[in-house]
Amino acid sequence: MKNAHIHPDSTCTDKYLWDMIRADSVDAFNEVYNRYWGLLFHVTMKRLQVKEIAEEIVQDTFIILWEKRHDIEISALKPYLFAITRYAVFHYLASKQTIASRMKTLAHMSEADSSKGADVEALVNDRLLLQLIETVASELPEKSRQVFYYNKLLDYSISQAAETFNISQKTAEGHLTKALKILRLKLSALHTVLF
């Protein structure tokens, strides 16, 4: 079902557009794209200050939306788009920015600051730990992974995460507890192997 005879416009609700997108409507997708691209780009640009990267992240957000349209359940389209974008920004800042550039920033810190050697070492360790956590988190059960990402990586409160996934706060807390338990076990096992 392509809904080719229906041409959605700015008066359509997000829910209606999402239902049409799930039914493979390119017109509905284009309407959502036109509705939110500028807003997402503005927010991303404000954080990154690099036009090309901001554009790429927003483009990727819409690519994900289209490619996953049959696999994801969305209760509210706008928060979902912002969540994907925020995570992409976080991921870019955490893993794409080179250690060298971050060390350069540290090098310009005043001599009054704490030991630079310790700062650089902590920076490297934090980045490696973050990458390790992201890798392990990708292996979590779907719902636990989603709640973990939203709460721990996107700074959503448990109640916000619960609302995003249309589940109770208690259920969200259960998923987070499960995620943290699995992560602790896996990281502990990795620590034993590596050290």
Side-chain angles (χ1 to χ4, degrees):
M1 177 180 174
K2 299 293 180 184
N3 291 318
H5 61 289
I6 301 173
H7 296 286
D9 56 34
S10 58
T11 64
C12 296
T13 64
D14 282 357
K15 184 181 185 310
Y16 176 74
L17 291 171
W18 174 239
D19 288 342
M20 289 183 69
I21 288 171
R22 295 201 75 181
D24 302 325
S25 169
V26 175
D27 288 336
F29 175 81
N30 288 337
E31 175 57 33
V32 169
Y33 183 92
N34 292 331
R35 185 175 294 188
Y36 290 115
W37 195 95
L39 194 56
L40 292 172
F41 175 75
H42 174 74
V43 170
T44 306
M45 186 65 185
K46 191 174 178 182
R47 286 292 307 273
L48 299 180
Q49 303 293 315
V50 182
K51 182 173 180 285
E52 293 77 12
I53 299 298
E55 287 177 342
E56 183 180 336
I57 282 176
V58 176
Q59 288 295 113
D60 286 348
T61 294
F62 285 101
I63 289 170
I64 289 169
L65 182 72
W66 181 254
E67 290 182 343
K68 301 279 189 181
R69 66 191 182 281
H70 298 307
D71 305 319
I72 53 178
E73 294 292 336
I74 298 177
S75 57
L77 190 57
K78 183 178 177 181
Y80 182 81
L81 289 171
F82 271 91
I84 295 176
T85 306
R86 285 179 67 195
Y87 178 72
V89 169
F90 168 86
H91 189 271
Y92 171 78
L93 292 174
S95 63
K96 300 298 183 187
Q97 187 177 0
T98 65
I99 286 290
S101 67
R102 295 170 90 170
M103 287 171 66
K104 185 178 178 182
T105 301
L106 285 174
H108 288 91
M109 292 169 66
S110 68
E111 291 297 328
D113 290 326
S114 59
S115 164
K116 287 184 177 58
D119 285 343
V120 172
E121 186 177 349
L123 183 71
V124 173
N125 287 340
D126 285 349
R127 185 169 183 270
L128 291 174
L129 180 60
L130 177 62
Q131 290 176 335
L132 189 59
I133 288 173
E134 283 196 318
T135 300
V136 174
S138 68
E139 302 170 5
L140 291 170
E142 182 69 11
K143 281 293 184 187
S144 297
R145 180 176 61 79
Q146 289 175 336
V147 173
F148 172 79
Y149 273 138
Y150 274 60
N151 179 248
K152 297 301 181 185
L153 303 183
L154 300 180
D155 297 324
Y156 274 46
S157 68
I158 280 293
S159 59
Q160 287 173 321
E163 187 177 343
T164 299
F165 297 111
N166 199 26
I167 56 178
S168 71
Q169 186 168 326
K170 187 172 182 180
T171 301
E173 288 171 354
H175 283 304
L176 182 62
T177 300
K178 183 178 182 179
L180 293 173
K181 182 178 180 181
I182 293 172
L183 283 171
R184 271 195 289 269
L185 288 171
K186 285 181 174 287
L187 290 173
S188 177
L190 282 170
H191 184 274
T192 302
V193 171
L194 295 173
F195 303 102

